[in-house]
Amino acid sequence: MKKKKLNLIYFSPTETTKTIVKAIADGMKIHNVTEINLTKTENIKDYRFNQDDVVIIGVPVYSGRIPLIALQRLERIKANQSKAILVVVYGNRHYDDALLELKNLTKKIGFEIIAASAFVGVHSYSTVDYPIATDRPNNEDLQVAKNLGEQAFSKISGKYLEINVPGNFPYRERSPKLDVKPKTDLNLCDFCGLCKKVCPVDAITILENKIDIDAKLCIYCHACVKICPQNARIIDDERIVAFSKKLHENCQEPRPIEIFI
Ligand SMILES: Cc1cc2nc3c(=O)[nH]c(=O)nc-3n(C[C@H](O)[C@H](O)[C@H](O)COP(=O)(O)O)c2cc1C
């Protein structure tokens, strides 16, 4: 077998997807590893992969779909029969059509899918008042991810057989984009700039005595809220708060990981 290269590609504003992608990689015996963090706008470009590339592709589930912004960044990739392991990470509600959408997209751009999976991560909307899956991924989840890596590794040189995943086509409608403007408590903010650094859509501008957010760009991924060391960032939009409450009430039962290999 020619020497394989492992590529970790993920869009992961609050980093649960990244954690799972890396746990899968841990299970694979490939030491030549490249990481492509598509959450960061500076990493958006036209990547090309060939038959010696193995790729783990991870995205979170937004409204039962792949986040549109992640889809647009992934669409710029071209592969030539490179092997792919797919991962969607969802916040303990459901992943609906996201895995099917990821499979169809990655097939279209030239990947051969050797494994697909749906993992559970803490919901981005989880708050102290309305916690949702706060303990996921737990150690057991990460062990399942590592085992998946081991299994997928043993399939790399095998014959390609189509993998079936759940989901419907036409996919469910994406939720309409809300204009949400995360707020900054200027009594707490020390203008460290971390929020701007993690924003996947460059929606944050730091001015001399205030932080400005472009609500048209914001995808309410909650990256800025979760990263803020001063707890100065708040999303108190009543629609999001109502959604957090509803998810907290309805999504308590731990959802399973699903593996298709
Ligand atoms: C806008 C938005 C929509 C979401 N929609 C869903 C959903 O439909 N189902 C679900 O279970 N979780 C949903 N989530 C939760 C995320 O899928 C989950 O928290 C994931 O772990 C976030 O990944 P990340 O940490 O890599 O950003 C949503 C989160 C956001 C921000």
Side-chain angles (χ1 to χ4, degrees), residues 12-17 60-64 89 91 93-94 122-124:
S12 184
T14 56
E15 299 208 329
T16 52
T17 308
V61 176
Y62 281 11
S63 310
V89 181
R93 185 192 65 75
H94 209 285
V122 51
H123 202 293
S124 325

Side-chain angles (χ1 to χ4, degrees), residues 126-178:
S126 180
T127 61
V128 175
D129 290 341
Y130 303 123
I132 313 148
T134 44
D135 62 337
R136 309 290 293 275
N138 54 30
N139 287 338
E140 224 174 288
D141 296 329
L142 296 177
Q143 189 55 51
V144 173
K146 195 171 170 187
N147 294 347
L148 168 61
E150 283 170 15
Q151 275 177 283
F153 181 76
S154 63
K155 275 189 78 180
I156 288 172
S157 310
K159 194 166 147 22
Y160 171 63
L161 292 170
E162 174 97 21
I163 297 234
N164 289 317
V165 301
N168 294 306
F169 185 82
Y171 310 127
R172 62 184 262 157
E173 290 276 316
R174 283 180 203 286
S175 299
K177 158 106 177 65
L178 309 172

Side-chain angles (χ1 to χ4, degrees), residues 49-112:
F49 298 102
N50 62 40
Q51 284 161 5
D52 301 323
D53 285 299
V54 178
V55 179
I56 306 175
I57 304 177
V59 288
V61 176
Y62 281 11
S63 310
R65 301 280 302 271
I66 301 178
L68 188 58
I69 204 92
L71 179 101
Q72 289 160 347
R73 293 175 191 186
L74 288 170
E75 269 176 337
R76 293 184 54 168
I77 296 173
K78 290 239 165 353
N80 180 9
Q81 294 174 301
S82 323
K83 306 286 191 219
I85 295 124
L86 307 182
V87 190
V88 295
V89 181
Y90 69 106
N92 208 49
R93 185 192 65 75
H94 209 285
Y95 60 94
D96 300 303
D97 302 331
L99 192 55
L100 179 65
E101 187 178 21
L102 184 61
K103 178 192 153 182
N104 291 344
L105 165 72
T106 48
K107 250 184 94 172
K108 193 176 95 190
I109 58 182
F111 287 103
E112 290 185 349

